[in-house]
Amino acid sequence: MAKSAKKTAKKTAKKASRRSTVASKTKEQITSALTELFIDELKDIYWAEKHLTKALPKMEKSATSEELKNAFVSHLKQTSVHVTRIEKVFKLLGQKVQAKKCDAMAGLVEEALGIIEDTEKGTATRDVGLIMAAQKVEHYEIATYGSLAQLAKTLELDDVKNILGTTLDEEKQTDELLTTIAEESVNYEATSEEA
Ligand code: FE
Ligand code: FE
């Protein structure tokens, strides 16, 4: 047998044995491992949202554009609702409400605070940086809620899927609003600022 044919045969055998292992598990066993991962990820985004409720006021205070300030204020209100929604999901799943440090969100917030430190107060340039930082946060949330909502669907948790889907839509809207603020005013204003 040629080397490549041997390799293919080996791979096929491996795949088949993996498939039989999965088949020998009951659906419940598979679901419980997946549920565990799901709940772990919920703890992560719960920490992240709570962390954001502390960071958004700082970002609002540091922004100059009225539109951007308003966007941060209204997203802070939404974020508090996001926290409550996750608590509701924990309860629906019969789990205790628990947060687990999200290193990604800790880093993204640190980055936002770094931008405030590195830019001048009252400038459009700082606003550009704040929008970038905020959009990175929104994209992280979109990825998380998108995956979790899909997973809830797989686990046949329709109520949970709908709750997470509502938050997902709000994160997407916020991301779009930030893009509009950047494109329609802040980015252009910043082009005339000196270093
Ligand atoms: Fe959120
Ligand atoms: Fe958000």
Side-chain angles (χ1 to χ4, degrees):
M1 205 189 279
K3 239 187 184 174
S4 67
K6 250 188 198 168
K7 252 191 187 170
T8 314
K10 244 188 184 173
K11 266 190 190 167
T12 313
K14 251 192 189 170
K15 253 190 201 169
S17 85
R18 214 181 298 142
R19 220 177 293 134
S20 74
T21 316
V22 171
S24 69
K25 281 185 182 175
T26 64
K27 190 184 173 219
E28 227 164 71
Q29 280 174 312
I30 297 167
T31 305
S32 77
L34 194 55
T35 307
E36 232 177 72
L37 175 75
F38 184 84
I39 290 163
D40 223 50
E41 289 292 327
L42 266 186
K43 291 177 188 170
D44 178 283
I45 192 67
Y46 185 58
W47 188 97
E49 292 281 21
K50 291 219 296 187
H51 193 55
L52 275 174
T53 59
K54 287 178 250 161
L56 279 164
K58 291 179 198 161
M59 292 169 81
E60 186 271 325
K61 238 179 103 190
S62 308
T64 303
S65 147
E66 275 307 309
E67 266 182 296
L68 185 56
K69 276 181 174 290
N70 291 339
F72 284 144
V73 169
S74 70
H75 200 53
L76 173 62
K77 281 184 203 145
Q78 278 183 330
T79 301
S80 302
V81 179
H82 297 174
V83 170
T84 315
R85 282 196 194 121
I86 301 170
E87 289 167 356
K88 200 174 165 193
V89 170
F90 276 121
K91 279 170 200 150
L92 276 172
L93 296 172
Q95 298 289 320
K96 69 169 190 261
V97 177
Q98 209 181 325
K100 189 178 154 195
K101 189 184 176 187
C102 169
D103 291 327
M105 190 56 79
L108 288 170
V109 166
E110 223 173 278
E111 210 175 282
L113 301 180
I115 284 169
I116 296 168
E117 234 170 72
D118 295 343
T119 51
E120 203 84 24
K121 193 178 178 219
T123 62
T125 305
R126 175 182 278 185
D127 282 357
V128 170
L130 284 170
I131 291 174
M132 280 184 75
Q135 285 194 292
K136 287 181 192 180
V137 167
E138 291 317 306
H139 282 233
Y140 179 79
E141 290 183 301
I142 290 166
T144 304
Y145 283 109
S147 306
L148 284 176
Q150 191 55 45
L151 217 45
K153 192 181 164 193
T154 307
L155 294 166
E156 296 171 359
L157 302 165
D158 287 347
D159 291 353
V160 173
K161 187 202 146 239
N162 292 336
I163 293 170
L164 298 173
T166 306
T167 298
L168 175 63
D169 288 341
E170 289 174 3
E171 309 292 16
K172 284 181 182 169
Q173 283 162 16
T174 301
D175 180 49
E176 277 168 31
L177 174 65
L178 290 168
T179 297
T180 307
I181 297 172
E183 286 178 356
E184 286 182 1
S185 58
V186 172
N187 281 4
Y188 182 73
E189 279 165 35
T191 58
S192 58
E193 287 176 347
E194 279 172 31

